[in-house]
Amino acid sequence: MKSERDDIIFQALLLIHIPVACLFTAVSAQSDSSSVVVAGYNVSAPAGSRVVLQCVSGRMVWTRDRVRDRQRVVHWDMFRASPDYAMERVLDMFSTGDKRIYNSYNQGRVGLSPSAFSDGNFSLVIKDVTMNDRGLYSCNLHHLYCHLYETVRVQLNVTKSRRKAQRFWDGQKAVYVVLLGSTVVLPCVNRRNVWTDWSGEEDDQQVVHWDRQSPGVRRDRADRLVDLYASGEQRSYGPLFLQRKMKLSNQAFSEGDFSLSISDLQFTDQGMYSCHLHHHYCGLHERREFQLTVEAPVIQTTLPAKPLPSEDQDTKKAESPRLINVILPEQKHHFLMPLGYVLTSLLLLAFIVLIIILVTRRQRDKEFEVRACSREQRRFDFKNNLLQEKVQMKTPAKVIDLDNEMQTFSK
């Protein structure tokens, strides 16, 4: 009965523990999907000084590329399993429409759609299929400027029987079994904007903006400080930039350095600063956060005191601004997060305590059973010995004494 009750309690705690753990996981996984926090910093500087919040990214370096259409290219390759296990290039096609076929045998027989880079369909068309076309094909999409590389693989098999023609997925790639002499289309479809569209000029696709979040203010209510476009256009907001306290480099996009310089620091300048980097065409969205703390100003006397001979001269140097790199957690639900931690910890502790209690009870029951069995065995042996002695004895008085001993031992 006790064992069944313990099992019921254990199952109830387990059923409670599972949904709470799922809730904790869901809460911890929630984050801001608009941009990714790649770095966080705590910066301290004395009042009246100048501080630079560094925001550097090599991926945002912008140059006017006159051959930018040749940055997007698709090429099909084929791997032959026999006889020599060789890889050969089938064709190349650039976003300008230029196409190159490597084997003269495939001229007029293999090709891509002329509108591939406008509709995202890069499927390979093979006419009059032969046994020599069997192999593993790979469709490779490259965007050199955005550093994007994607690959699609298709296995092509050839058969002479019409009823054996089929298409299926083997778990890793698409497999096409086609009839000898027919026409086959090996699929490679990718309609992401980065492959099919060059909407607007490049300088309109890249933008950097700085925000400032005062102490006690939520991030979604942060003040916008400046917007900077790759074309050179700059939009400033608020009185801080009007006072020229904050500056960005004029060569920001050519050098990839979008650091914010703040001069004449005051206690009102404290807060969370964030540098947002966006490249809409390439799908780049990054954010760097800086927690700025302003300390008391450094007092400098006009006539510095003369140090004693044993005193270190370096002790008079002013403390330089400290820069500590930390990664700040990006969470919105400040209440659900600690609640999930507490509930999960308590349930885990209860789960462990319950297991310890059950193991202890079972061990105690086993010891009690062993002790009872040994006691019964001793009684049984003692009775047998007395019975044997009773049989061997001849005088009634001794027999009566043995009977009394047996009764006493039984009690």
Side-chain angles (χ1 to χ4, degrees):
M1 187 64 182
K2 291 184 178 179
S3 178
E4 293 180 357
R5 186 175 59 187
D6 294 341
D7 293 340
I8 293 174
I9 296 174
F10 173 75
Q11 293 176 2
L13 287 177
L14 186 61
L15 291 176
I16 296 173
H17 180 78
I18 291 174
V20 172
C22 295
L23 174 63
F24 170 74
T25 303
V27 170
S28 62
Q30 291 179 353
S31 60
D32 185 11
S33 58
S34 60
S35 59
V36 178
V37 179
V38 297
Y41 307 92
N42 285 338
V43 182
S44 300
S49 64
R50 175 178 174 271
V51 66
V52 177
L53 306 182
Q54 294 186 353
C55 182
V56 181
S57 175
R59 297 183 63 184
M60 294 288 288
V61 174
W62 173 74
T63 56
R64 295 184 178 274
D65 189 0
R66 296 181 180 179
V67 292
R68 60 189 180 189
D69 283 339
R70 297 184 66 85
Q71 298 283 351
R72 294 178 293 165
V73 59
V74 55
H75 63 82
W76 276 88
D77 298 334
M78 182 181 66
F79 176 76
R80 299 183 187 275
S82 61
D84 51 357
Y85 299 94
M87 175 76 73
E88 66 178 59
R89 178 65 52 87
V90 179
L91 61 82
D92 290 334
M93 184 174 180
F94 296 92
S95 53
T96 55
D98 299 337
K99 184 170 58 176
R100 178 171 50 186
I101 298 177
Y102 287 81
N103 194 335
S104 59
Y105 172 75
N106 292 327
Q107 292 290 343
R109 197 177 69 92
V110 175
L112 296 177
S113 171
S115 60
F117 281 95
S118 60
D119 57 18
N121 189 351
F122 305 96
S123 301
L124 180 67
V125 180
I126 305 176
K127 301 177 181 179
D128 192 15
V129 176
T130 65
M131 290 294 180
N132 195 41
D133 294 326
R134 292 178 299 178
L136 178 62
Y137 290 78
S138 60
C139 172
N140 303 277
L141 300 172
H142 296 281
H143 197 307
L144 306 181
Y145 177 75
C146 295
H147 304 285
L148 293 176
Y149 308 95
E150 298 181 11
T151 300
V152 177
R153 291 181 174 84
V154 182
Q155 176 70 43
L156 177 61
N157 298 330
V158 182
T159 180
K160 296 181 180 180
S161 175
R162 185 177 298 274
R163 62 182 180 85
K164 293 183 179 180
Q166 59 178 329
R167 302 174 184 178
F168 61 92
W169 178 262
D170 67 351
Q172 296 181 348
K173 59 186 177 300
V175 179
Y176 279 56
V177 182
V178 300
L179 185 64
L180 181 67
S182 63
T183 299
V184 65
V185 178
L186 302 184
C188 182
V189 180
N190 194 315
R191 291 189 170 90
R192 292 178 57 191
N193 292 335
V194 70
W195 300 117
T196 61
D197 183 27
W198 188 282
S199 56
E201 294 295 331
E202 183 180 355
D203 49 9
D204 295 331
Q205 296 288 339
Q206 299 188 64
V207 59
V208 174
H209 62 84
W210 277 88
D211 292 342
R212 178 179 177 271
Q213 180 183 348
S214 301
V217 178
R218 295 185 304 178
R219 191 172 62 81
D220 56 351
R221 295 185 177 275
D223 296 327
R224 178 62 53 86
L225 296 178
V226 62
D227 288 332
L228 182 63
Y229 295 88
S231 60
E233 179 184 0
Q234 179 175 322
R235 301 176 185 176
S236 302
Y237 307 90
L240 296 180
F241 266 90
L242 297 179
Q243 297 173 5
R244 300 300 180 185
K245 283 190 58 173
M246 303 183 180
K247 295 181 181 180
L248 291 176
S249 173
N250 295 329
Q251 292 80 28
F253 278 98
S254 61
E255 298 176 353
D257 188 354
F258 309 95
S259 302
L260 178 66
S261 174
I262 307 175
S263 58
D264 190 19
L265 279 178
Q266 302 297 326
F267 289 101
T268 55
D269 296 329
Q270 296 184 121
M272 177 72 73
Y273 291 78
S274 56
C275 173
H276 301 253
L277 306 178
H278 298 283
H279 196 311
H280 302 289
Y281 179 71
C282 293
L284 173 65
H285 303 280
E286 297 179 351
R287 183 170 76 254
R288 293 161 175 79
E289 296 181 342
F290 304 83
Q291 181 64 49
L292 177 61
T293 303
V294 180
E295 300 176 345
V298 178
I299 300 177
Q300 297 181 353
T301 58
T302 55
L303 296 175
K306 295 182 179 180
L308 297 176
S310 59
E311 188 176 10
D312 190 0
Q313 298 291 336
D314 294 335
T315 58
K316 295 301 180 180
K317 291 184 178 179
E319 183 181 2
S320 60
R322 299 186 298 274
L323 179 62
I324 306 174
N325 295 342
V326 297
I327 300 299
L328 300 179
E330 182 64 17
Q331 298 293 338
K332 291 183 178 180
H333 304 273
H334 303 287
F335 176 74
L336 291 180
M337 173 63 69
L339 180 60
Y341 276 114
V342 173
L343 290 178
T344 304
S345 302
L346 291 178
L347 287 176
L348 182 60
L349 180 61
F351 183 74
I352 295 173
V353 171
L354 181 59
I355 291 178
I356 294 174
I357 293 174
L358 292 177
V359 172
T360 305
R361 285 187 177 181
R362 291 182 180 180
Q363 187 67 24
R364 190 178 301 168
D365 293 341
K366 289 182 179 180
E367 292 178 357
F368 179 77
E369 291 176 359
V370 171
R371 196 176 301 132
C373 291
S374 61
R375 183 176 179 183
E376 291 295 334
Q377 184 65 30
R378 289 198 304 270
R379 286 184 178 180
F380 181 75
D381 295 340
F382 184 76
K383 286 182 179 180
N384 287 338
N385 294 332
L386 290 178
L387 288 174
Q388 291 177 3
E389 291 180 3
K390 183 177 180 181
V391 171
Q392 294 175 1
M393 291 179 182
K394 296 179 180 180
T395 60
K398 293 184 177 181
V399 173
I400 292 172
D401 294 338
L402 290 175
D403 290 338
N404 292 333
E405 291 181 5
M406 291 178 62
Q407 292 177 2
T408 304
F409 181 78
S410 298
K411 292 179 180 181

